[in-house]
Amino acid sequence: QVQLEESGGGLVKPGGSLRLSCGASGFTFSEYYMTWIRQAPGKGLEWVSYVSTSGTSTNYADSVKGRFTISRDNAKNSLYLEMDSLRAEDTAVYYCVRTMVVLTATLPSYYFDYWGQGTLVTVSS
Amino acid sequence: EIVMTQSPATLSVSPGERATLSCRASQSVSSNLAWYQQKPGQAPRLLIYGASTRATGIPARFRGSGSGTQFTLTISSLQSEDFVVYYCQQYNNWPLSFGGGTKVEIK
């Protein structure tokens, strides 16, 4: 069965950096886009970033653009999120999510069929 | 950016009864709408995509409908495990956006 396991979360000071990892199993990792989605404590869901199957295409929410970098290693069935210049508002549970691509009338778009259990990132002094 | 508005924020329903959850988009998203269920302390789970197609393993009591700007998730005969939070998500336009959620609680 599909399994996604995040790691790397923790407490970091504002302005600090953190690298999240996600290990995937139970499916052909290289055939799927992957996404990071976050959820602040007691709040709703926010799309953060996606990466294409090859890793050559990425996109970011405006709130993290220029500070976060998504990447993947298909040989290791792993997804990563490098987070720099962290702010208090980045505090959230970060989910690694398998992504389904849909061809809409204008652009490819995505919904999310399998989610990891998440890893908590806390940004506080 | 498309704003997704879910109503009500909290829905009180008795076990065995039907729940009707609404999701409204600020502009048309065609049928590019998904619904997710989130239990306390767990990750969201995909219920519905394409506005009305149930995801793998989702019971038939979950039914999605609608298109354009107005969508509905209907849960017939609520079971104990259904009293949790539900989110809608549009994937017709960038940036992708989620609704604020509806919590279904026991009446």
Side-chain angles (χ1 to χ4, degrees):
Chain A
Q1 73 279 25
V2 173
Q3 289 192 316
L4 298 163
E5 185 171 356
E6 303 91 340
S7 60
L11 175 64
V12 61
K13 289 182 169 53
S17 299
L18 213 54
R19 189 195 198 207
L20 305 184
S21 300
C22 171
S25 61
F27 66 102
T28 305
F29 181 72
S30 60
E31 293 181 353
Y32 287 86
Y33 278 49
M34 295 296 295
T35 297
W36 289 98
I37 291 172
R38 68 185 181 184
Q39 186 172 34
K43 302 296 185 184
L45 301 165
E46 179 187 16
W47 169 78
V48 173
S49 178
Y50 78 76
V51 61
S52 62
T53 53
S54 64
T56 55
S57 177
T58 60
N59 199 3
Y60 300 89
D62 286 345
S63 57
V64 307
K65 199 170 293 184
R67 301 186 299 120
F68 289 12
T69 303
I70 192 172
S71 63
R72 65 190 296 162
D73 184 336
N74 287 340
K76 294 183 178 180
N77 289 341
S78 294
L79 175 72
Y80 306 101
L81 186 68
E82 192 78 42
M83 303 185 295
D84 297 318
S85 303
L86 283 161
R87 306 166 180 167
E89 54 265 36
D90 295 319
T91 294
V93 173
Y94 284 74
Y95 295 103
C96 164
V97 189
R98 196 177 84 166
T99 302
M100 300 300 289
V101 179
V102 175
L103 296 179
T104 69
T106 52
L107 293 170
S109 193
Y110 315 110
Y111 66 90
F112 311 108
D113 66 344
Y114 287 95
W115 301 57
Q117 283 305 299
T119 187
L120 175 62
V121 172
T122 303
V123 184
S124 175
S125 55
Chain B
E1 176 178 342
I2 295 179
V3 177
M4 306 300 292
T5 303
Q6 290 187 242
S7 60
T10 303
L11 181 63
S12 299
V13 187
S14 299
E17 292 192 343
R18 173 180 299 192
T20 302
L21 289 67
S22 293
C23 175
R24 187 182 77 249
S26 59
Q27 64 188 76
S28 176
V29 298
S30 186
S31 294
N32 296 310
L33 190 284
W35 289 94
Y36 303 88
Q37 177 193 65
Q38 187 174 32
K39 298 179 178 179
Q42 295 188 19
R45 175 176 71 150
L46 176 67
L47 295 177
I48 302 286
Y49 62 93
S52 60
T53 303
R54 279 190 303 276
T56 303
I58 301 303
R61 66 180 183 273
F62 292 93
R63 178 176 171 270
S65 61
S67 66
T69 62
Q70 198 69 40
F71 300 88
T72 300
L73 176 67
T74 303
I75 312 170
S76 61
S77 188
L78 278 160
Q79 309 295 302
S80 58
E81 62 268 27
D82 300 335
F83 291 93
V84 292
V85 180
Y86 296 84
Y87 294 96
C88 61
Q89 176 231 335
Q90 69 81 19
Y91 51 95
N92 193 68
N93 289 72
W94 285 89
L96 308 178
S97 49
F98 292 88
T102 290
K103 180 181 180 180
V104 179
E105 65 174 24
I106 299 175
K107 186 174 182 180

